[in-house]
Amino acid sequence: MTEPNSVKAVLEQLAEAEKQRAEPNLSSKQRRARTVSRLAAVQALYQMELAGEGVETVITEFSNFRFDTDIEGEALAEADEAYFADIVRGVIESQRDIDAAIKARLASNWKLERIDATLRALLRSGAWELIKHPETPREVVIDEYVELAKAFFDDAEARFVNAALDGVAKDTRK
């Protein structure tokens, strides 16, 4: 794992990558809000796993204290809070199915439980979107989570996220 980038740097990387793709029927502002929601969902899932906090507690914390605030002296772009909550609740509610979809794409000697907690959160969030939001192009979902992986890890982990989510997409989407 590389030294994590600042939240500002992560959002700048994602904004640059966003220029390369577009979600249908969403304005630029809405796409940006979704990107922030995805980043926050990964952070929330990571926090839940490490701290053992419940889903509603974490969603409330993010809504009350993390969105619409300054982070590292910079204003965080507006988040689609409903989409954020959807991802977090959805991953928790469907975790058994999501984990099975991810495990089906791991090498036989890999165990999901042994993968870094941030990578698990990335994979779970991305897999949930691929499975539960077929209206969002698979390329958008995969690219967003690959870019998030690049913000926290080296290229090897980003390629791993790409391959795993591409496999989940092949397994779950026509």
Side-chain angles (χ1 to χ4, degrees), residues 124-146:
R124 286 172 173 158
S125 296
W128 179 82
E129 280 199 72
L130 288 167
I131 294 166
K132 299 296 184 178
H133 282 273
E135 73 281 0
T136 304
R138 66 188 271 158
E139 296 81 11
V140 169
V141 175
I142 293 170
D143 286 350
E144 287 266 324
Y145 288 100
V146 167

Side-chain angles (χ1 to χ4, degrees), residues 23 34-42 83 87 129 136 144-145:
E23 288 186 64
R34 280 243 172 127
T35 296
V36 173
S37 300
R38 289 175 176 120
L39 171 61
V42 169
Y83 200 73
I87 295 170
E129 280 199 72
T136 304
E144 287 266 324
Y145 288 100

Side-chain angles (χ1 to χ4, degrees), residues 67 99-100:
F67 294 132
D99 285 358

Side-chain angles (χ1 to χ4, degrees), residues 59-127:
I59 289 172
T60 300
E61 176 191 331
F62 271 73
S63 292
N64 291 341
F65 302 110
R66 297 209 188 180
F67 294 132
D68 302 324
T69 62
D70 286 351
I71 297 178
E72 299 171 356
E74 297 291 327
L76 182 63
E78 186 177 323
D80 180 339
E81 291 186 44
Y83 200 73
F84 158 78
D86 235 17
I87 295 170
V88 176
R89 284 187 188 110
V91 168
I92 298 304
E93 291 168 2
S94 305
Q95 191 166 330
R96 178 176 286 152
D97 294 336
I98 291 167
D99 285 358
I102 296 167
K103 287 177 186 176
R105 285 304 180 154
L106 298 178
S108 61
N109 59 339
W110 282 58
K111 300 217 181 288
L112 187 58
E113 299 77 22
R114 296 187 67 203
I115 293 174
D116 177 87
T118 304
L119 269 178
R120 269 195 309 276
L122 284 161
L123 292 171
R124 286 172 173 158
S125 296

